[in-house]
Protein backbone atom coordinates (compact mmCIF):
# COMPACT_ATOMS: atom_id res chain seq x y z
CA UNK A 1 0.00 0.00 0.00
CA UNK A 2 1.06 3.57 -0.57
CA UNK A 3 1.49 6.10 2.25
CA UNK A 4 -1.79 7.78 1.35
CA UNK A 5 -3.67 4.50 1.18
CA UNK A 6 -2.27 3.56 4.59
CA UNK A 7 -3.37 6.92 6.01
CA UNK A 8 -6.89 6.45 4.69
CA UNK A 9 -7.04 2.95 6.09
CA UNK A 10 -5.91 4.05 9.54
CA UNK A 11 -8.45 6.89 9.49
CA UNK A 12 -11.20 4.37 8.83
CA UNK A 13 -9.82 1.97 11.43
CA UNK A 14 -9.58 4.61 14.13
CA UNK A 15 -13.14 5.77 13.45
CA UNK A 16 -14.53 2.25 13.72
CA UNK A 17 -12.41 1.34 16.74
CA UNK A 18 -14.12 4.12 18.71
CA UNK A 19 -17.51 3.92 17.00
CA UNK A 20 -17.69 0.23 17.91
CA UNK A 21 -17.45 0.77 21.66
CA UNK A 22 -21.22 0.87 22.16
CA UNK A 23 -24.05 -1.04 20.47
CA UNK A 24 -24.09 1.37 17.50
CA UNK A 25 -20.91 0.55 15.60
CA UNK A 26 -21.53 2.92 12.70
CA UNK A 27 -21.47 6.23 14.55
CA UNK A 28 -19.54 8.00 17.29
CA UNK A 29 -21.52 9.04 20.35
CA UNK A 30 -20.30 12.08 22.26
CA UNK A 31 -18.62 9.74 24.76
CA UNK A 32 -16.82 7.91 21.96
CA UNK A 33 -15.82 11.16 20.28
CA UNK A 34 -14.38 12.39 23.58
CA UNK A 35 -12.34 9.19 23.97
CA UNK A 36 -11.12 9.40 20.38
CA UNK A 37 -9.96 13.00 20.80
CA UNK A 38 -8.36 12.29 24.19
CA UNK A 39 -6.46 9.26 22.93
CA UNK A 40 -5.75 10.10 19.30
CA UNK A 41 -5.44 13.90 19.34
CA UNK A 42 -3.87 14.67 22.75
CA UNK A 43 -1.80 17.63 21.54
CA UNK A 44 -4.85 19.20 19.90
CA UNK A 45 -6.79 18.80 23.14
CA UNK A 46 -3.91 20.27 25.16
CA UNK A 47 -4.11 23.51 23.11
CA UNK A 48 -7.82 23.92 23.77
CA UNK A 49 -8.71 26.28 26.58
CA UNK A 50 -12.45 25.67 26.30
CA UNK A 51 -13.46 22.87 28.70
CA UNK A 52 -16.51 22.16 26.54
CA UNK A 53 -14.44 21.68 23.40
CA UNK A 54 -15.87 18.20 22.76
CA UNK A 55 -19.44 19.52 22.97
CA UNK A 56 -18.56 22.32 20.54
CA UNK A 57 -16.94 19.92 18.08
CA UNK A 58 -19.92 17.58 18.30
CA UNK A 59 -22.34 20.44 17.63
CA UNK A 60 -20.26 21.67 14.70
CA UNK A 61 -19.91 18.30 13.03
CA UNK A 62 -23.32 16.75 13.68
CA UNK A 63 -25.08 17.72 10.45
CA UNK A 64 -28.33 15.81 11.02
CA UNK A 65 -28.52 16.66 14.75
CA UNK A 66 -28.87 13.10 16.02
CA UNK A 67 -26.09 13.54 18.61
CA UNK A 68 -23.94 10.98 16.82
CA UNK A 69 -21.25 11.30 14.19
CA UNK A 70 -21.14 9.00 11.20
CA UNK A 71 -17.95 8.72 9.16
CA UNK A 72 -19.03 11.47 6.77
CA UNK A 73 -19.65 13.85 9.65
CA UNK A 74 -16.38 12.90 11.34
CA UNK A 75 -14.13 13.51 8.33
CA UNK A 76 -14.34 17.35 8.38
CA UNK A 77 -12.67 17.30 11.81
CA UNK A 78 -9.68 15.45 10.37
CA UNK A 79 -9.63 17.63 7.25
CA UNK A 80 -9.81 20.84 9.31
CA UNK A 81 -7.01 19.75 11.62
CA UNK A 82 -4.92 18.55 8.68
CA UNK A 83 -5.29 21.93 6.99
CA UNK A 84 -4.19 23.69 10.18
CA UNK A 85 -1.22 21.32 10.49
CA UNK A 86 -0.27 21.81 6.86
CA UNK A 87 0.00 25.58 7.43
CA UNK A 88 2.41 24.95 10.31
CA UNK A 89 4.31 22.47 8.18
CA UNK A 90 4.74 25.02 5.37
CA UNK A 91 5.82 27.73 7.82
CA UNK A 92 8.31 25.37 9.37
CA UNK A 93 9.64 24.27 5.98
CA UNK A 94 10.13 27.91 4.92
CA UNK A 95 12.02 28.70 8.12
CA UNK A 96 14.23 25.69 7.52
CA UNK A 97 15.29 26.99 4.09
CA UNK A 98 16.56 30.36 5.32
CA1 LIG B 1 -25.12 12.79 13.06
Amino acid sequence: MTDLEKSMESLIEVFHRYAGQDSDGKTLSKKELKKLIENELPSFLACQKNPNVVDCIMKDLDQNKDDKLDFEEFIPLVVGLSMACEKCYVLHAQKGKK
Side-chain angles (χ1 to χ4, degrees):
M1 274 204 289
T2 67
D3 285 349
L4 188 57
E5 285 168 343
K6 274 185 247 167
S7 312
M8 293 191 289
E9 190 187 37
S10 52
L11 205 55
I12 295 166
E13 270 178 12
V14 165
F15 175 83
H16 283 283
R17 194 186 311 148
Y18 289 88
Q21 291 185 359
D22 61 12
S23 55
D24 181 357
K26 286 189 185 134
T27 55
L28 289 172
S29 64
K30 197 186 281 176
K31 216 172 130 193
E32 289 168 336
L33 176 69
K34 187 166 185 273
K35 257 193 206 164
L36 186 152
I37 293 173
E38 281 172 354
N39 292 329
E40 309 296 333
L41 298 165
S43 36
F44 162 73
L45 198 61
C47 307
Q48 300 300 314
K49 284 178 189 131
N50 182 352
N52 300 320
V53 62
V54 176
D55 293 80
C56 295
I57 292 172
M58 189 77 186
K59 227 176 154 184
D60 269 2
L61 296 177
D62 187 15
Q63 297 286 336
N64 62 357
K65 309 283 172 218
D66 63 354
D67 276 325
K68 293 174 206 156
L69 296 183
D70 59 26
F71 190 65
E72 239 178 275
E73 290 171 326
F74 167 71
I75 281 298
L77 172 67
V78 181
V79 172
L81 286 175
S82 303
M83 290 197 307
C85 292
E86 195 266 350
K87 279 189 189 126
C88 296
Y89 176 85
V90 171
L91 271 179
H92 202 77
Q94 280 170 347
K95 268 185 199 163
K97 272 182 209 158
K98 276 176 197 169

